[in-house]
Amino acid sequence: MTQMLAARAGEITPAMRRVAEKEKVSPEFIRAGVAAGTIVIPANINHKSLDPVGYGRGLKTKVNANIGTSTSFPDIEKELDKLKVVLEAGADAVMDLSTGGDIDRGRRRIIAESTITVGTVPIYQAFLENREKRGNMIEMSADDLFEVIERHCADGVDFITVHCGVTLEVLKRLKGQGRITDIVSRGGSFLTGWMLHHGKENPLYEQYDRLLDICLKYDVTLSLGDGLRPGCLADATDRSQIQELIILGELVDRARAKGVQAMVEGPGHVPLDQIAANIQIQKTICKGAPFYVLGPLVTDIAPGYDHITAAIGGTVAAAAGADFLCYVTPSEHLGLPTLEDVREGIMASRLAAHAADIVKGVPGAMEWDREMAKARKALDWQKQINLALDPQRAAKIRRERNPEDHEACTMCGDFCAMRIVAQYLGKEPEFC
């Protein structure tokens, strides 16, 4: 019994109740959204440490952080250190994108130690294992791919990114389109190479019912990946991207018909003035399925600052209806992120998510800002720190740059506007 099938049967599961409690909405609101497919609760039956989270219409915008080994840095212990940062920084989900070392062992440890939603991209491991076994990734069979998918699901992964919409028809449009960056998705590129080499259709599309059966078995949520997401502004919103999205919309229908939860992934690099249109198109074609976006990044020229680029686009996307933001770190396009990069990426995306939630009217969003405003007026520094998105950083700056027990901050000193106006209005703040 998946969350969706239970919701359709009128049942409010413990996971639905927990999500309702977190979101400050009624359990019936959550149940109805899950039944309709406009809310998903990724909650694999084998992820025992999970504190479930909801993603979708009427809920807070959520943030995902990516971690994982590479062939250059295969040490899982370093990625587990990043997981601790992910949890401390307040992300709602973590994706293990490992491509180096003992991938099975690393994934199982991440699932065991994570109280938040865990996602993976199984095709990475499927291709890498075939390179080890046969000396060539391209010789992977459909059975090889589905065996790895089931292994991830059996281990307790809550959602899997699967590039089911990268079809021969879409690749034909890509060739005719003439992109600058072609395909920047790793999963999309692996499948494209396989399809062109074998002259066969994408097995994830051709055997989609087989994929759904695995998801039903473990209650795994499908994250329908955007293999044709634009890798630069010039490639945004082209025919191949939209053609893939049309196919994903049809696959959302098929997942819902079976009782499998599904969300849809989106771009990518998108000019600011195209973001809202991209969200509207997706929500229409995919009938309100939760939308999970990477960024979007609103310029291509900011290596080292792409967490800011993504936060700008993420705010616009979430305000327009996106439900789930995948973080981007300062090291995007440059290298594997450090612990500090992970933290900065999460905070930038959380800031974008909250700014959008104010626009959406999400319960509690505007109230948080109102409380901060009151604390600032009262010069209540401890409350300001407690209310800060990142209390740790706020406290550090306050401590290092202001004399002890100094009433105002050193930016204004004796000329604190709050203090001056309060004196004339007879509302002298009480220093705390």
Side-chain angles (χ1 to χ4, degrees):
M1 178 71 77
T2 65
Q3 295 292 326
M4 176 172 271
L5 290 174
R8 287 182 181 165
E11 179 184 347
I12 295 175
T13 65
M16 294 176 203
R17 291 190 186 280
R18 177 60 177 147
V19 170
E21 178 187 348
K22 289 181 177 180
E23 299 285 344
K24 299 180 174 61
V25 297
S26 72
E28 175 55 28
F29 178 86
I30 300 298
R31 186 207 64 77
V34 173
T38 57
I39 292 173
V40 297
I41 304 176
N44 189 313
I45 59 173
N46 290 334
H47 188 178
K48 304 304 183 184
S49 61
L50 178 67
D51 185 6
V53 174
Y55 307 77
R57 183 181 294 167
L59 308 184
K60 288 181 285 190
T61 305
K62 304 305 190 301
V63 170
N64 172 73
N66 293 334
I67 62 173
T69 61
S70 70
T71 51
S72 300
F73 296 94
D75 185 0
I76 185 58
E77 297 301 329
K78 295 186 184 304
E79 300 312 302
L80 290 169
D81 287 340
K82 290 179 186 176
L83 175 61
K84 293 175 185 174
V85 172
V86 169
L87 296 172
E88 290 169 2
D92 304 286
V94 62
M95 289 197 77
D96 173 20
L97 305 185
S98 291
T99 56
D102 189 338
I103 296 175
D104 284 332
R105 175 174 171 270
R107 179 180 61 256
R108 288 162 188 161
R109 288 193 64 186
I110 288 170
I111 293 168
E113 296 181 26
S114 177
T115 55
I116 59 176
T117 311
V118 176
T120 60
V121 189
I123 196 168
Y124 294 173
Q125 186 174 6
F127 270 89
L128 291 169
E129 286 186 352
N130 271 271
R131 184 176 67 174
E132 294 171 4
K133 286 190 293 187
R134 300 186 176 97
N136 189 338
M137 292 194 300
I138 219 72
E139 296 305 322
M140 180 195 74
S141 69
D143 287 343
D144 293 330
L145 175 56
F146 281 100
E147 187 278 323
V148 172
I149 289 172
E150 178 139 19
R151 198 189 312 163
H152 282 227
C153 295
D155 283 345
V157 168
D158 301 298
F159 72 92
I160 53 172
T161 290
V162 278
H163 302 86
C164 304
V166 181
T167 65
L168 292 172
E169 180 184 5
V170 169
L171 294 181
K172 187 185 299 182
R173 279 189 167 76
L174 173 68
K175 188 175 180 180
Q177 178 73 44
R179 281 184 167 189
I180 292 176
T181 56
D182 295 320
I183 294 177
V184 297
S185 158
R186 274 189 295 186
S189 69
F190 287 171
L191 279 168
T192 296
W194 187 92
M195 292 159 65
L196 294 177
H197 176 78
H198 293 280
K200 293 181 179 179
E201 186 56 273
N202 179 352
L204 292 172
Y205 177 74
E206 197 168 53
Q207 300 185 45
Y208 188 63
D209 284 331
R210 184 177 180 182
L211 179 63
L212 293 178
D213 286 341
I214 294 172
C215 291
L216 275 173
K217 185 175 178 181
Y218 303 98
D219 195 4
V220 171
T221 298
L222 285 179
S223 188
L224 295 169
D226 52 340
L228 275 292
R229 68 174 179 268
C232 68
L233 299 193
D235 293 341
T237 326
D238 67 0
R239 290 180 298 229
S240 47
Q241 177 194 333
I242 299 303
Q243 179 61 36
E244 180 187 30
L245 183 59
I246 290 170
I247 293 169
L248 297 184
E250 294 167 351
L251 296 179
V252 167
D253 286 347
R254 289 175 60 184
R256 288 174 174 175
K258 274 214 168 184
V260 172
Q261 299 183 99
M263 54 187 173
V264 177
E265 297 184 13
H269 294 239
V270 183
L272 198 67
D273 63 339
Q274 294 183 27
I275 293 175
N278 268 259
I279 306 301
Q280 185 176 5
I281 290 168
Q282 185 274 342
K283 287 289 185 177
T284 301
I285 290 174
C286 300
K287 298 181 181 177
F291 200 17
Y292 175 26
V293 296
L294 177 64
L297 287 81
V298 295
T299 180
D300 300 327
I301 64 164
Y305 298 93
D306 275 328
H307 59 311
I308 298 173
T309 306
I312 295 168
T315 303
V316 177
D323 308 286
F324 190 16
L325 305 180
C326 185
Y327 88 158
V328 173
T329 74
S331 61
E332 183 81 7
H333 301 113
L334 298 172
L336 205 66
T338 64
L339 293 176
E340 185 56 31
D341 288 337
V342 169
R343 186 177 187 84
E344 286 194 27
I346 291 170
M347 291 305 173
S349 288
R350 285 187 60 204
L351 177 61
H354 176 69
D357 286 347
I358 294 169
V359 176
K360 290 178 178 177
V362 170
M366 187 61 182
E367 288 76 8
W368 186 0
D369 285 67
R370 189 180 298 278
E371 288 303 307
M372 177 62 88
K374 291 177 181 178
R376 283 188 175 143
K377 179 63 177 174
L379 295 180
D380 187 338
W381 296 107
Q382 188 56 56
K383 190 170 184 181
Q384 290 178 59
I385 289 167
N386 293 342
L387 287 167
L389 186 77
D390 186 350
Q392 181 179 318
R393 184 180 178 93
K396 181 175 184 291
I397 293 172
R398 173 67 188 169
R399 182 175 60 253
E400 292 178 352
R401 303 182 193 180
N402 296 277
E404 190 175 353
D405 295 330
H406 193 67
E407 196 167 7
C409 73
T410 51
M411 175 67 77
C412 297
D414 293 337
F415 304 105
C416 173
M418 294 281 198
R419 183 70 181 270
I420 291 168
V421 174
Q423 288 174 346
Y424 283 99
L425 296 178
K427 296 180 179 179
E428 182 73 14
E430 292 183 10
F431 171 60
C432 298

